[in-house]
Amino acid sequence: MDAQILEEKMNEARSKFERACQQIVLLDQKIKDLEIRYKRAVKNKKNSFRYNLRLRLSVVTGVKMMYHHYASTKAEELTRLRRLVPTSESSET
């Protein structure tokens, strides 16, 4: 493969990995907020709110796990591409 194409693919994979990591951070905060609201609903014995919040927690946690999977896939792709890119040191020798 051409080195320029590999560099472009690496930049794209890096960008996607970084965006996935940003989304994971946002989802972590969303989960914390939902957990606080859920605990408050438990404390105040608001069963209808508890059910709704538990469902939302479950969905957001599932989405976060999918982002983790996607990010790890992109990290593996990035590692594989880095191995393929010729370094300037090896081409000089």
Side-chain angles (χ1 to χ4, degrees), residues 10 13 73-84:
M10 273 182 52
T73 302
K74 288 299 168 187
E76 289 173 7
E77 179 182 344
L78 201 52
T79 303
R80 183 180 52 81
L81 288 170
R82 280 189 181 135
R83 283 191 211 124
L84 293 175

